[in-house]
Amino acid sequence: MRLPIHLLLAFFIQQCACALQPAKRFYATHDYYVLEHHPSAGATLNECIGELGVELVEQVGELQNIWLVRSAKLISSVSPRTVSDRVLGRFEDLVALAAHSTSLYPRAGRQARAHRISSSIKHLSPQIPRQRIKRDDSFLERAPPPVTPGDPQLKASEVVAERLGFVDPLFTQQWHIVNDEYPEHMMNVTGVWEMGITGEGIITTLVDDGLDYKSRDLADNFDAENSYDFNDHTDLPTPVLSDDHHGTRCAGQVAAVKNDACGVGLAYKSKVAGVRILSGPITDVDEAAALNYGFHNVSIFSCSWGPPDDGRSMEAPGYIIEKAFVNGIQNGREGKGSIFVFASGNGAAQGDQCNFDGYTNSIYSVTVSAVDFKGLHPYYSEPCSANMVVAYSSGSGQHIVTTDIDNQCSSGHGGTSAAAPNAAGVFALVLQIRPDLTWRDIQHLCVKTAQMINPEDPDWETMASGRMYSYKYGFGKLDAYAYIQAAQDWQLVKPQARFHPPAVQINNGTLLTENGDMEGGQPIISGGVMSSFTVTQDMLDTHNFEGLEHVTVRVWISHTKRGDVEVELTSPGGVRSVLAAKRDHDYDESGFKGWRFMSVKHWGENAVGTWTLKVSDQSSKGHNGTFHGWRLMFWGSTVDPTVSTTYVLPLLEYQLPSTPNDDAINIPTSTSSKSHPKPTSGLPDDHGTAEGEASKPAFPSPSVPATVTMTPTPDEGWFSDMSNLVSSQKWFFGAIGAVALFGVGAGVFLWRRHVKHRAYAALSAGDELQMSSVSGQGRPRAKELYDAFGEVSDDEDADEETRLHGAGFHSGFLDDDDPSSAGPAPVYRDEPRGEHDASSDVRSASPGSGSGSGSWEHASQTH
Ligand SMILES: *[C@@H]1O[C@H](CO)[C@@H](O)[C@H](O)[C@H]1NC(C)=O
Ligand SMILES: *[C@@H]1O[C@H](CO)[C@@H](O)[C@H](O)[C@H]1NC(C)=O
Ligand SMILES: *[C@@H]1O[C@H](CO)[C@@H](O)[C@H](O)[C@H]1NC(C)=O
Ligand SMILES: *[C@@H]1O[C@H](CO)[C@@H](O)[C@H](O)[C@H]1NC(C)=O
């Protein structure tokens, strides 16, 4: 057994309760790790870092108990991999030592100490800087000088400019503000301005590639205090690279000053801050800090980036980043919650869907798709059931006109990345008059006020509430005037409630810890496989739950071609959410290992009744798959706000079987960074000129209609008897009673009518769980370590229900070594751009170099 012998570093502890400005990173000389400390598990942070032989750098952004630590690289002949694994090795030793103590013999001495310290380290993972790719969108031309129209008659935009005193030379070209040709298609903001609402006092942060704060059109509205450059680790987000103009253009949409430069922003007296992350490699730690940067005073984080929009990637934020989202909605804006606005993505032409992007399908983000100058659906704009609204952007011959770097103006801006800031601008306006709106009120107001467009579009479907929903348009287009009107007397929603039944295992479907393989399950046959789960009023009452908002669904599906898989959820009210439609370019073979889908299409619906998930594929030759399990999660409003509990992000949600209450489970997910190109990276060159459409459903119904129509009725008598027996675990039995599985093949159907295969999947009881875990988020992950003791977090107040105790030792490494077949190999840089890291060999820090990490070992990104 290796023992920690190199405790040779001197530790200087910064006792900072506050989040200071991030320190510079020195990747050339140090390896960095993120450590989540569990203070009540017995060991102090000092003890933990002492034992690991690391030094403390700083708290990670605004995340309590999450620390960036580092260890000097050893100058030695040992291979880089060995050196970089030193810290992880120590933790591994600690965990192994602690595991040797058994409950029969009291732990003593070294073992007790090892147990105490390893239990106090909730999460530990290396931090590797990686390049977020930017697309060269230099085809976007700078604006020519404004052309004076020959039309002698004043246009609507000219009338508005005159009445409101705008002398901004491009104001009349900002059709998203006043659309002269299609007056029904604009953000409808001028009436709001006339009410004196201009976003005063509200700060929006553009998390992007910089912000030209010297620009004449932005300087007066720039908030330096809340700006930071995570690429170069300097205070100001200066655009440096030749294509660092995206953040500035987005900032102009929100808060370009009313003056004689370019146009105006939708909230032209609000402030904008810039947090620069897209212009060089950053780690998860920095991304997490960026998403909470200045979050006490900043209201809105506008994010126009995400995983590649190539129709084959499937990526979600890692644990630390997800933590930052949860921290943002819980503690940002003095507890009202940060407003995260995400662009839905530009990959629709490649068959991409925003439910394959863990940022846009997060319940914490307002996902914004694009609609064009004529109100049509631009062919790049991604549909999915997580889409909330659309806002105006490029297409049908027009682009967004806004500010650019170097005191220039842009008339070539577009894509969904230009739609998101238009939504952010509307939120900045409303928060001026209703700063008390929570992050969920903002979403409710979107649902309530979004305007239907193109009613003849077959993509619209009726929800249970009677409202219409479209995968392409969400609830409709965001209308600033309607939004602000409704907000004026809006009654705040009650705190969030959640109801997370355990996963439904299909034929003992399991995800194996050791290799990430999935076992059990039901082969997906022609016509699809269906499984149901019945929710009772009693379950909702137990969970203080009413007012359904988001529904998330995790699925465990193996398939030889991921893009063949289709997943749809049907509610008790008969509303169907397509969660995954086929993606022709997605040839990934690793399936869905607990991937999360999200739908807002059931907003306001009664959750009581039978929910059915249907998994089908294309029945293509040479490809097949198996449906292993799924898990429904309901998010809504509390019945009694006085007993609401704070959500604690579980370390791992990808297990199958799942545990009854994974709000408090203690296993980490992956944390390595992913590539975050701007959405413009998938944006076609003709995004502005191509004509949009309003006649095609986003996800055409399969040509062979489902042959399965029978739904099992749970045996009510049996069900209630069992419930009475073990009333504290009602949902277990609810699941057992309700889970029924049907497999009906179209081919089989020809031979035998109503052939069905039924099986009841037994759920193991909480104390007999086969612990299974894997980092199932699609991409290979770095090796990670975690507290292997399954100690339950008692941070804050996790749900009061059963907790998992003493789950026992499970192997400490999450080696997800599936080589990713998703997408073209992303290009990563080995070292941060900037002067401070001259002669580095960052690749030596790659912890996963044994497997699947090749993609980040080749620096080739150039600008
Ligand atoms: C747009 O704003 C005007 C007021 O400026 C208002 O009369 C109109 O109803 C708004 N449009 C919608 C769809 O609410
Ligand atoms: C945030 O706002 C408070 C008061 O509203 C102010 O005192 C503080 O300096 C602000 N902080 C930043 C970083 O802007
Ligand atoms: C599931 O596992 C249980 C216990 O091992 C076994 O009795 C049962 O037959 C299994 N069910 C299926 C469908 O394999
Ligand atoms: C799926 O295909 C593989 C080979 O392509 C085959 O071995 C396997 O039996 C098939 N599984 C099912 C359930 O058809």
Side-chain angles (χ1 to χ4, degrees):
M1 170 171 297
R2 281 176 288 156
L3 286 172
I5 48 170
H6 292 294
L7 294 171
L8 38 80
L9 298 169
F11 313 119
F12 59 93
I13 312 299
Q14 305 163 326
Q15 298 291 356
C16 69
C18 55
L20 299 171
Q21 294 232 313
K24 279 209 173 193
R25 317 287 192 235
F26 298 93
Y27 298 113
T29 52
H30 290 77
D31 293 327
Y32 285 80
Y33 303 84
V34 62
L35 185 159
E36 181 169 12
H37 180 226
H38 188 15
S40 50
T44 63
L45 180 62
N46 260 330
E47 282 180 286
C48 295
I49 64 173
E51 195 66 27
L52 295 175
V54 293
E55 68 181 301
L56 195 59
V57 179
E58 65 199 13
Q59 179 180 312
V60 173
E62 299 282 354
L63 291 169
Q64 297 293 312
N65 295 320
I66 300 193
W67 303 89
L68 183 65
V69 298
R70 68 176 189 177
S71 149
K73 284 186 205 285
L74 286 185
I75 313 300
S76 79
S77 56
V78 197
S79 84
R81 169 125 197 266
T82 315
V83 172
S84 71
D85 278 0
R86 201 163 38 114
V87 171
L88 300 184
R90 281 193 187 140
F91 185 66
E92 195 183 354
D93 290 348
L94 205 60
V95 166
L97 178 59
H100 284 133
S101 44
T102 68
S103 52
L104 291 181
Y105 303 97
R107 296 187 182 99
R110 273 171 52 226
Q111 285 183 344
R113 178 181 156 80
H115 181 264
R116 199 164 44 85
I117 293 177
S118 58
S119 307
S120 301
I121 300 172
K122 200 172 164 188
H123 176 87
L124 179 71
S125 67
Q127 291 292 304
I128 314 300
R130 294 175 75 179
Q131 173 72 50
R132 272 66 173 162
I133 309 160
K134 290 190 299 179
R135 176 169 185 250
D136 179 12
D137 52 0
S138 54
F139 65 89
L140 298 175
E141 292 301 318
R142 299 268 165 85
V147 184
T148 322
D151 190 344
Q153 289 209 305
L154 281 189
K155 296 177 183 172
S157 56
E158 292 164 335
V159 172
V160 170
E162 207 169 281
R163 189 170 74 240
L164 300 182
F166 287 105
V167 294
D168 301 69
L170 296 189
F171 179 80
T172 55
Q173 292 182 30
Q174 291 187 292
W175 59 268
H176 68 285
I177 297 177
V178 182
N179 191 333
D180 291 323
E181 276 186 67
Y182 297 89
E184 67 278 29
H185 292 302
M186 55 189 192
M187 297 304 299
N188 208 23
V189 73
T190 54
V192 176
W193 293 342
E194 288 184 90
M195 292 156 68
I197 300 168
T198 52
E200 229 168 328
I202 304 302
I203 306 168
T204 301
T205 289
L206 285 303
V207 183
D208 212 295
D209 63 4
L211 197 163
D212 186 358
Y213 45 86
K214 291 184 190 143
S215 159
R216 233 162 33 85
D217 212 10
L218 289 170
D220 287 352
N221 285 343
F222 176 66
D223 177 30
E225 191 112 32
N226 293 300
S227 295
Y228 191 73
D229 183 339
F230 282 92
N231 287 130
D232 292 340
H233 279 284
T234 55
D235 290 348
L236 291 173
T238 315
V240 176
L241 309 181
S242 61
D243 63 344
D244 280 351
H245 46 220
H246 190 263
T248 303
R249 293 173 176 180
C250 292
Q253 289 179 263
V254 177
V257 177
K258 181 182 179 185
N259 60 7
D260 60 352
C262 301
V264 291
L266 294 183
Y268 59 82
K269 284 192 183 161
S270 69
K271 300 271 185 225
V272 277
V275 165
R276 186 165 176 256
I277 67 163
L278 296 179
S279 307
I282 64 161
T283 58
D284 274 16
V285 155
D286 283 349
E287 190 179 322
L291 288 166
N292 288 161
Y293 201 78
F295 78 159
H296 295 294
N297 291 11
V298 169
S299 295
I300 301 156
F301 291 83
S302 183
C303 303
S304 289
W305 43 271
D309 295 329
D310 51 15
R312 39 193 153 177
S313 300
M314 184 171 92
E315 291 182 15
Y319 173 67
I320 296 294
I321 299 168
E322 191 77 28
K323 272 281 243 214
F325 282 114
V326 174
N327 190 37
I329 58 98
Q330 289 177 348
N331 303 311
R333 224 161 40 96
E334 307 309 340
K336 294 289 175 191
S338 304
I339 314 301
F340 295 106
V341 180
F342 268 84
S344 76
N346 296 332
Q350 285 75 45
D352 214 346
Q353 301 153 32
C354 40
N355 242 326
F356 287 83
D357 169 342
Y359 295 83
T360 50
N361 84 2
S362 164
I363 68 167
Y364 304 120
S365 52
V366 178
T367 301
V368 183
S369 276
V371 62
D372 71 19
F373 173 64
K374 296 180 179 171
L376 299 173
H377 169 70
Y379 77 109
Y380 57 78
S381 180
E382 290 183 25
C384 77
S385 64
N387 252 342
M388 182 140 272
V389 289
V390 285
Y392 288 96
S393 189
S394 56
S396 289
Q398 295 285 339
H399 297 81
I400 293 293
V401 174
T402 179
T403 312
D404 209 338
I405 54 169
D406 300 334
N407 283 321
Q408 307 205 41
C409 311
S410 171
S411 61
H413 193 43
T416 56
S417 58
N422 278 337
V426 173
F427 302 147
L429 291 169
V430 77
L431 289 174
Q432 178 188 336
I433 56 157
R434 286 298 303 269
D436 57 329
L437 296 176
T438 70
W439 68 277
R440 279 169 52 246
D441 291 302
I442 292 288
Q443 295 198 15
H444 271 275
L445 283 162
C446 286
V447 174
K448 184 179 156 78
T449 69
Q451 311 278 314
M452 196 178 184
I453 48 172
N454 310 320
E456 72 288 355
D457 192 315
D459 199 49
W460 289 107
E461 288 178 62
T462 310
M463 301 168 58
S465 63
R467 280 198 61 86
M468 302 292 276
Y469 183 83
S470 147
Y471 302 109
K472 293 193 296 195
Y473 313 118
F475 292 96
K477 66 153 177 160
L478 196 57
D479 182 290
Y481 188 83
Y483 197 96
I484 273 88
Q485 283 290 344
Q488 280 174 334
D489 54 1
W490 175 256
Q491 201 180 344
L492 296 180
V493 293
K494 291 188 278 188
Q496 190 185 39
R498 55 196 177 275
F499 170 48
H500 298 174
V504 173
Q505 290 172 265
I506 312 277
N507 291 344
N508 293 346
T510 304
L511 180 61
L512 301 180
T513 312
E514 309 82 57
N515 53 11
D517 282 352
M518 290 179 272
E519 289 192 339
Q522 168 73 28
I524 299 165
I525 52 175
S526 178
V529 176
M530 291 165 76
S531 171
S532 299
F533 181 86
T534 298
V535 175
T536 64
Q537 185 61 48
D538 196 37
M539 291 174 186
L540 299 185
D541 292 346
T542 308
H543 290 85
N544 192 22
F545 188 101
E546 68 178 9
L548 181 59
E549 294 164 7
H550 312 84
V551 177
T552 53
V553 181
R554 287 192 183 274
V555 296
W556 289 264
I557 299 167
S558 50
H559 207 279
T560 54
K561 185 189 172 197
R562 188 171 64 197
D564 267 4
V565 178
E566 296 185 305
V567 182
E568 59 180 59
L569 177 71
T570 305
S571 70
V575 174
R576 190 182 68 122
S577 280
V578 173
L579 302 176
K582 73 179 165 119
R583 299 201 304 167
D584 290 339
H585 302 308
D586 182 0
Y587 281 89
D588 191 284
E589 294 171 6
S590 54
F592 301 82
K593 294 173 178 173
W595 177 258
R596 176 198 68 210
F597 292 114
M598 194 270 270
S599 176
V600 294
K601 203 172 169 181
H602 304 284
W603 200 283
E605 192 168 347
N606 185 353
V608 173
T610 299
W611 293 78
T612 303
L613 196 77
K614 179 180 169 195
V615 176
S616 50
D617 65 10
Q618 309 305 309
S619 304
S620 33
K621 262 210 160 61
H623 289 297
N624 63 26
T626 303
F627 178 24
H628 303 271
W630 60 298
R631 185 175 191 196
L632 265 173
M633 299 189 181
F634 300 97
W635 309 80
S637 192
T638 50
V639 179
D640 179 359
T642 61
V643 294
S644 79
T645 56
T646 305
Y647 179 63
V648 179
L649 184 72
L651 275 162
L652 185 65
E653 297 182 279
Y654 314 112
Q655 308 135 287
L656 184 68
S658 59
T659 51
N661 169 29
D662 70 3
D663 284 5
I665 290 166
N666 189 14
I667 311 164
T669 59
S670 58
T671 61
S672 348
S673 307
K674 294 165 295 298
S675 152
H676 292 309
K678 300 169 186 176
T680 49
S681 68
L683 189 59
D685 284 5
D686 63 348
H687 66 93
T689 50
E691 186 82 4
E693 59 79 26
S695 57
K696 288 186 283 208
F699 308 126
S701 297
S703 46
V704 182
T707 51
V708 179
T709 47
M710 299 272 303
T711 303
T713 344
D715 181 331
E716 295 296 340
W718 179 83
F719 176 77
S720 46
D721 284 354
M722 294 306 282
S723 298
N724 292 338
L725 284 178
V726 190
S727 58
S728 67
Q729 297 199 352
K730 287 185 187 99
W731 61 10
F732 263 51
F733 293 93
I736 292 167
V739 171
L741 173 74
F742 287 78
V744 173
V748 180
F749 183 75
L750 295 174
W751 296 98
R752 286 199 289 159
R753 262 188 100 189
H754 303 307
V755 167
K756 59 183 185 266
H757 173 95
R758 174 185 292 210
Y760 292 93
L763 286 164
S764 36
D767 55 356
E768 298 170 346
L769 291 170
Q770 312 151 296
M771 292 303 297
S772 301
S773 61
V774 74
S775 68
Q777 303 235 36
R779 286 260 163 177
R781 298 292 177 249
K783 181 183 291 181
E784 289 157 31
L785 284 160
Y786 54 86
D787 169 16
F789 290 86
E791 294 284 348
V792 166
S793 157
D794 53 15
D795 291 357
E796 305 173 54
D797 48 345
D799 264 0
E800 63 292 351
E801 300 110 15
T802 350
R803 289 174 166 193
L804 175 71
H805 277 290
F809 184 86
H810 31 269
S811 66
F813 287 92
L814 295 173
D815 270 321
D816 183 351
D817 54 8
D818 294 334
S820 171
S821 56
V827 185
Y828 301 103
R829 286 174 50 82
D830 275 348
E831 35 179 304
R833 179 168 291 265
E835 66 302 321
H836 53 278
D837 251 328
S839 61
S840 66
D841 176 12
V842 175
R843 76 186 56 181
S844 64
S846 170
S849 47
S851 62
S853 64
S855 58
W856 67 46
E857 298 208 342
H858 305 287
S860 61
Q861 176 75 6
T862 51
H863 295 282

